[in-house]
Amino acid sequence: MTLEMIAVLVILGAAVILFITEVIRMDLVALLVLGIMALTGLVSPSQALAGFSNPAVVTVWAVLILSAGLARTGVAGHLGRFMLRLAGEGEARLMAVIMLIAGILSGLMNDIGVVSLFLPVVVDIARRTNRPPSRLLMPLAFACLMGGLNTLIGTPPNLLISEALREAGLRPFQMFDYTPVGFLVLLSGTAFMVLAGRHLLPARDIVRELKEKSRDMKSLYRIEERMSFLQVPADSVLSGKNMEEARLGAALGLNVVAVIREGRTQLAPEADHQIEAGDRLLVEGSLERLNELRGQNHLSLKEEGFSPTQLVSTQIELAEVQVESSSTLTGLTLSEIDFRQQYRALVLAVRRGEKVIRTNVQTLALQPSDILLVQGRKSALERLRNEGGLEVSDVEDISTYQLSDRLMTARVPEESPWVGQSLADSHLGKLFRLRVLGIIREESVQLIPSPEERLQAGDILLVEGREMDLLALEGFQEMEIENVGDLDLDSLETDKMGLMEVVLSPYSNLAGKALRDLDFRTKFGLNVLAIWRRGQVYRSNLQEKALRFGDALLVFGPRSRLRLLAKEPDFINLSEEVQEPPR
């Protein structure tokens, strides 16, 4: 055995191992073999590239293109309907029609292409006729193998043999030279399967097994298990508020799937959809947070507010902090910086040019020249003065920040379940975007209380936020919960509304980000009802859950927006109906 022969065997063995392990893509392995053969001198460069001009190779890839074209133009659906009309529901006739059509077509297309084309068709026929797919799929495979013998282009070996004859100076095979023998083999094989072979086929009913394992989209996510009706009382403070103001999603982690009003159903209501007394809201998600709030008076909003001057004491001051272009904080949010923990101070508002931002400041990315209104102890403000890229100064005019209409007082009743709990446990900031700036207790004022400060009955809380957010807390306490009973999930889908499953693309940069950070609901106008991750379904607190590669999201909303989401490069669509229609 020569060195060249040994080298070829080593390269071939390495290629086989790479094909089996799939460490490298198969097409790259093939190109590597080609390149190594040329680099080692086993073949000349011209010989290495000669295959690309071989008629057999060109014909094979041309057949693959033809196969893809036939699949892309919707031929599979037409063939499925045609075969059902032709064969009816009898197993013998179905098997004969499938084998003959697939066998004839595989003589004009690549065998694998035909199988790929017929696979969904045959499975769909099995479902429609309530028959195990295994009894039709194996005859399909045999028919494609036998049908490839019918023509010159039906299978690559036929092409290679014909080309070998041409290179030897002999007459090559013509297009239908194989047909007399090949078609006889196809007819004989079909007859055997119809008369005798079908009795030997396995009868495993995959369709029934799939149903038992709940693998269809709706039952896979089991969203009906987390669906409930919320009744809005006649005198509810939520009446007249829109969905965004009610904060059912942001505060309670609930998706409002539908609003039922006077017998009419509004599916997937928009953020500006107004709630009215008597509405029944079909929501999806955990009711744990709502149950904690219902029927109990947690806080009582007092009519009088308080002045910004009450935020200052002998130890606590207000200051303006300007972000310079050299600051390391530029481009980061206060949440990412963990500003309160790191600097022991609160940012009450942000002034950006002529605009004053007072809501969602924690998620605002800081920009050069931003001016932060900060409340903190003198020692904390002194630390900020020593921070590079920040310029700290006294507040010239507190009225420019328009804080007065965002400062409220609320009393902790004796019956409040928050008595004895810490501020952190009350989740006022996280759920209701309310910040406790101070506590009045027995005529003494404690400014910038620690998150671990425990509430006591009779405490007066100095709260910064929107009044509607505090009123939403009162509205939740009045909500009535009803069971959905036997809800028909198909009723959630109409010609305008639908469900779609998407997977986070491996090329997406959204991994590690939560739906709240992405502002998914506002950006796409769709509700995420559930997330499937590594065999487990999540249906609660989805806004806080960071996405991972491979996550499957079940989204609900207008079909027009589903189609737009399907075009997003960050997501891979798994639902056929919103895919690009056949050409």
Side-chain angles (χ1 to χ4, degrees):
M1 185 177 290
T2 64
L3 290 177
E4 288 80 2
M5 296 171 65
I6 295 174
V8 170
L9 290 175
V10 170
I11 295 173
L12 180 61
V16 171
I17 293 174
L18 289 175
F19 280 137
I20 294 173
T21 60
E22 297 184 356
V23 176
I24 304 176
R25 281 170 31 189
M26 287 189 290
D27 53 344
L28 294 181
V29 174
L31 290 175
L32 282 173
V33 171
L34 185 65
I36 292 173
M37 294 283 283
L39 289 174
T40 55
L42 295 173
V43 296
S44 65
S46 59
Q47 289 174 325
L49 300 175
F52 292 107
S53 63
N54 189 297
V57 175
V58 175
T59 305
V60 168
W61 64 249
V63 169
L64 291 174
I65 293 174
L66 175 64
S67 303
L70 289 172
R72 189 66 193 85
T73 51
V75 170
H78 293 294
L79 283 175
R81 289 189 292 270
F82 170 74
M83 285 191 291
L84 271 179
R85 289 196 303 267
L86 191 64
E89 297 188 0
E91 184 178 73
R93 291 180 61 186
L94 263 176
M95 194 174 293
V97 169
I98 290 173
M99 292 188 68
L100 288 175
I101 293 179
I104 293 172
L105 199 56
S106 64
L108 305 173
M109 295 173 56
N110 177 266
D111 293 351
I112 298 176
V114 175
V115 173
S116 301
L117 184 68
F118 272 78
L119 191 61
V121 177
V122 172
V123 171
D124 184 61
I125 289 175
R127 288 173 178 169
R128 293 184 186 183
T129 58
N130 197 27
R131 182 171 284 106
S134 58
R135 298 188 63 81
L136 299 179
L137 289 176
M138 193 173 290
L140 170 67
F142 291 152
C144 290
L145 289 174
M146 293 183 291
L149 305 174
N150 287 334
T151 63
L152 177 65
I153 65 172
T155 183
N158 290 4
L159 283 167
L160 294 175
I161 291 173
S162 179
E163 189 60 26
L165 291 173
R166 186 192 305 277
E167 292 176 356
L170 303 174
R171 176 183 175 276
F173 289 117
Q174 300 301 309
M175 181 67 173
F176 296 105
D177 282 351
Y178 294 94
T179 304
V181 176
F183 195 67
L184 181 61
V185 171
L186 175 62
L187 290 177
S188 301
T190 302
F192 171 78
M193 289 300 299
V194 169
L195 298 175
R198 64 190 179 96
H199 301 293
L200 305 176
L201 294 173
R204 183 182 177 188
D205 194 343
I206 299 178
V207 176
R208 185 173 293 112
E209 290 180 10
L210 292 180
K211 288 180 179 179
E212 291 174 354
K213 293 179 181 180
S214 301
R215 296 301 299 178
D216 65 273
M217 188 170 65
K218 296 187 183 73
S219 57
L220 176 68
Y221 288 92
R222 305 191 304 277
I223 56 176
E224 71 281 358
E225 295 180 6
R226 288 295 178 92
M227 282 192 167
S228 305
F229 281 115
L230 300 183
Q231 180 77 38
V232 181
D235 56 348
S236 174
V237 296
L238 296 181
S239 180
K241 303 290 189 297
N242 60 38
M243 290 294 173
E244 182 180 9
E245 294 169 342
R247 296 184 57 75
L248 289 165
L252 301 181
L254 299 176
N255 283 307
V256 181
V257 178
V259 177
I260 302 175
R261 179 181 301 163
E262 297 178 353
R264 296 191 301 272
T265 301
Q266 171 68 48
L267 292 174
E270 299 285 347
D272 58 356
H273 183 88
Q274 196 172 74
I275 297 175
E276 294 184 5
D279 283 351
R280 297 175 71 220
L281 311 180
L282 177 62
V283 298
E284 186 264 347
S286 173
L287 299 179
E288 181 179 354
R289 289 180 182 172
L290 181 59
N291 285 325
E292 292 176 357
L293 299 174
R294 283 180 62 248
Q296 303 183 68
N297 188 12
H298 291 68
L299 287 179
S300 297
L301 178 65
K302 296 175 67 66
E303 293 184 2
E304 69 274 11
F306 65 97
S307 169
T309 58
Q310 293 179 257
L311 300 176
V312 179
S313 68
T314 56
Q315 298 295 325
I316 306 296
E317 292 183 350
L318 294 176
E320 290 181 326
V321 179
Q322 182 168 351
V323 181
E324 299 178 351
S325 57
S326 60
S327 173
T328 57
L329 306 185
T330 302
L332 300 177
T333 66
L334 295 175
S335 178
E336 292 170 339
I337 300 167
D338 198 6
F339 192 93
R340 175 167 183 169
Q341 184 67 26
Q342 183 171 345
Y343 296 104
R344 306 295 180 182
L346 294 176
V347 177
L348 304 181
V350 177
R351 184 150 53 92
R352 180 172 291 171
E354 300 296 326
K355 183 179 180 182
V356 176
I357 303 169
R358 300 171 299 168
T359 59
N360 298 327
V361 293
Q362 294 297 317
T363 58
L364 181 70
L366 299 180
Q367 297 180 6
S369 301
D370 280 352
I371 298 177
L372 315 180
L373 178 63
V374 176
Q375 179 196 32
R377 298 184 181 275
K378 293 181 179 180
S379 58
L381 297 180
E382 190 63 33
R383 182 183 176 188
L384 283 171
R385 286 188 175 92
N386 298 327
E387 180 78 22
L390 298 178
E391 182 180 341
V392 182
S393 60
D394 295 334
V395 179
E396 295 180 0
D397 185 5
I398 189 65
S399 63
T400 59
Y401 292 94
Q402 305 169 3
L403 287 179
S404 298
D405 58 341
R406 290 181 58 85
L407 301 179
M408 302 170 290
T409 56
R411 180 177 176 275
V412 181
E414 292 184 3
E415 66 274 14
S416 173
W418 285 344
V419 172
Q421 292 189 10
S422 66
L423 284 172
D425 293 336
S426 70
H427 300 300
L428 277 170
K430 183 178 180 181
L431 302 184
F432 299 99
R433 298 187 297 197
L434 301 171
R435 288 188 292 178
V436 179
L437 305 181
I439 300 177
I440 301 176
R441 180 179 297 161
E442 297 178 356
E443 299 184 357
S444 65
V445 180
Q446 179 184 351
L447 296 177
I448 316 183
S450 166
E452 303 305 320
E453 180 68 30
R454 295 192 175 276
L455 297 174
Q456 297 182 15
D459 282 350
I460 305 297
L461 307 184
L462 306 181
V463 180
E464 186 270 336
R466 297 188 305 176
E467 183 177 355
M468 65 178 66
D469 292 334
L470 193 52
L471 289 175
L473 173 58
E474 293 186 15
F476 297 153
Q477 296 168 175
E478 305 165 350
M479 283 284 189
E480 301 174 7
I481 301 177
E482 304 176 19
N483 293 326
V484 296
D486 296 329
L487 178 67
D488 182 11
L489 293 180
D490 292 335
S491 64
L492 300 180
E493 296 192 86
T494 65
D495 56 340
K496 294 183 179 179
M497 298 289 175
L499 291 163
M500 184 176 77
E501 191 178 19
V502 294
V503 170
L504 192 65
S505 168
Y507 305 106
S508 172
N509 59 0
L510 303 184
K513 297 180 180 179
L515 293 174
R516 185 188 300 280
D517 299 332
L518 301 176
D519 202 9
F520 189 93
R521 178 69 176 84
T522 303
K523 182 178 180 181
F524 298 107
L526 298 167
N527 288 331
V528 178
L529 301 183
I531 296 177
W532 179 270
R533 176 181 295 168
R534 296 183 178 180
Q536 185 173 354
V537 60
Y538 298 89
R539 294 158 297 181
S540 302
N541 303 325
L542 300 181
Q543 293 294 320
E544 310 294 336
K545 194 170 293 295
L547 297 178
R548 298 180 186 174
F549 289 124
D551 279 356
L553 281 63
L554 182 66
V555 295
F556 174 69
R559 294 189 185 276
S560 58
R561 294 183 178 177
L562 292 176
R563 285 190 285 270
L564 291 176
L565 180 64
K567 297 178 181 179
E568 285 288 323
D570 290 313
F571 298 97
I572 300 173
N573 168 39
L574 300 182
S575 301
E576 183 178 358
E577 63 176 291
V578 294
Q579 292 177 351
E580 186 180 354
R583 292 197 291 262

